[in-house]
Amino acid sequence: EAQVTQNPRYLITVTGKKLTVTCSQNMNHEYMSWYRQDPGLGLRQIYYSMNVEVTDKGDVPEGYKVSRKEKRNFPLILESPSPNQTSLYFCASSLSPGGNTGELFFGEGSRLTVL
Amino acid sequence: GNSVTQMEGPVTLSEEAFLTINCTYTATGYPSLFWYVQYPGEGLQLLLKATKADDKGSNKGFEATYRKETTSFHLEKGSVQVSDSAVYFCALSGYTGNQFYFGTGTSLTVIP
């Protein structure tokens, strides 16, 4: 089954404790990206990757890091989480490098709470 | 820059009512436009798309037409069902195709 898998789905952590949210896709997609969803703000792009070893900042990259060492994986790293990073996070992938064929495939989301 | 503005919710309709969710955009170049739907507890999934002016996207009874002159991409459905209850997001893919911009989402509840 074609899917984007995120882990963990739910996480409660404390300020400053490094964490990683993993994202894996099995569709051989070149394009992957991370979003955060907050009430009243919709989805905002954090980082995206056009291909292995190619990453770039989205609209809200502060406080986050990513890496793309393999085509299928695109982890999101919070080196020192803060309460303002409490949010619902989505990983998504798309077939074409440009992403403009439109279909982003989303994971089920990871709800992160930073105390 | 690029941005998407969609009507505020929540929207509550009775079953079989007509639905319109307004969406307007600001973009440089020639963006592609999309509607995504998010059912409770799930990730977003593509509902329909249009990649150039005057294109009409359609799926599951939903339609939206890419209007360049009014920079709009309004979502419509002639007769909603309870199963259409979800959050709907209008989105655009910028000229380079690297970034997607989403509206704030419109929550729809359809009551029997």
Side-chain angles (χ1 to χ4, degrees):
Chain A
E1 180 189 353
Q3 58 186 5
V4 177
T5 304
Q6 299 177 223
N7 281 295
R9 294 287 313 280
Y10 302 91
L11 179 63
I12 300 174
T13 190
V14 295
T15 299
K17 185 175 181 181
K18 179 180 178 179
L19 68 92
T20 299
V21 186
T22 64
C23 174
S24 179
Q25 50 92 5
N26 63 0
M27 295 168 280
N28 203 35
H29 285 171
E30 294 189 356
Y31 181 91
M32 297 185 74
S33 60
W34 276 102
Y35 300 85
R36 58 178 290 173
Q37 182 179 16
D38 301 291
L41 298 176
L43 273 76
R44 294 178 292 167
Q45 191 168 39
I46 303 171
Y47 270 94
Y48 63 94
S49 170
M50 303 281 281
N51 213 327
V52 175
E53 302 292 359
V54 180
T55 63
D56 212 340
K57 296 178 181 178
D59 291 324
V60 289
E62 297 77 18
Y64 304 95
K65 285 175 56 178
V66 292
S67 68
R68 188 93 183 273
K69 293 184 170 53
E70 307 165 278
K71 198 171 189 178
R72 63 183 293 127
N73 296 323
F74 191 46
L76 179 70
I77 303 157
L78 286 72
E79 293 271 3
S80 183
S82 63
N84 64 11
Q85 292 178 298
T86 292
S87 187
L88 178 59
Y89 291 87
F90 286 101
C91 179
S93 70
S94 181
L95 178 61
S96 77
N100 61 0
T101 56
E103 184 146 20
L104 280 172
F105 289 82
F106 282 82
E108 293 184 311
S110 297
R111 186 167 293 282
L112 170 65
T113 301
V114 184
L115 302 175
Chain B
N2 297 324
S3 67
V4 174
T5 303
Q6 62 182 103
M7 65 183 281
E8 301 255 342
V11 174
T12 302
L13 295 173
S14 297
E15 205 164 22
E16 298 184 2
F18 184 84
L19 168 71
T20 299
I21 301 178
N22 290 337
C23 171
T24 58
Y25 68 90
T26 302
T28 54
Y30 305 97
S32 296
L33 301 174
F34 314 95
W35 277 100
Y36 282 82
V37 59
Q38 184 180 30
Y39 297 104
E42 299 183 9
L44 283 72
Q45 55 187 275
L46 180 68
L47 180 60
L48 53 84
K49 70 178 182 182
T51 57
K52 61 183 188 295
D54 299 325
D55 268 4
K56 177 185 282 188
S58 61
N59 187 24
K60 299 181 181 179
F62 291 89
E63 292 183 340
T65 301
Y66 189 152
R67 302 278 188 209
K68 190 165 166 51
E69 63 276 14
T70 54
T71 62
S72 64
F73 193 56
H74 305 320
L75 182 68
E76 296 182 335
K77 186 175 186 182
S79 176
V80 293
Q81 305 300 312
V82 172
S83 56
D84 294 327
S85 298
V87 180
Y88 293 83
F89 291 90
C90 186
L92 72 82
S93 172
Y95 180 64
T96 62
N98 295 345
Q99 290 188 262
F100 286 78
Y101 300 86
F102 287 83
T104 54
T106 301
S107 175
L108 170 67
T109 301
V110 180
I111 54 178

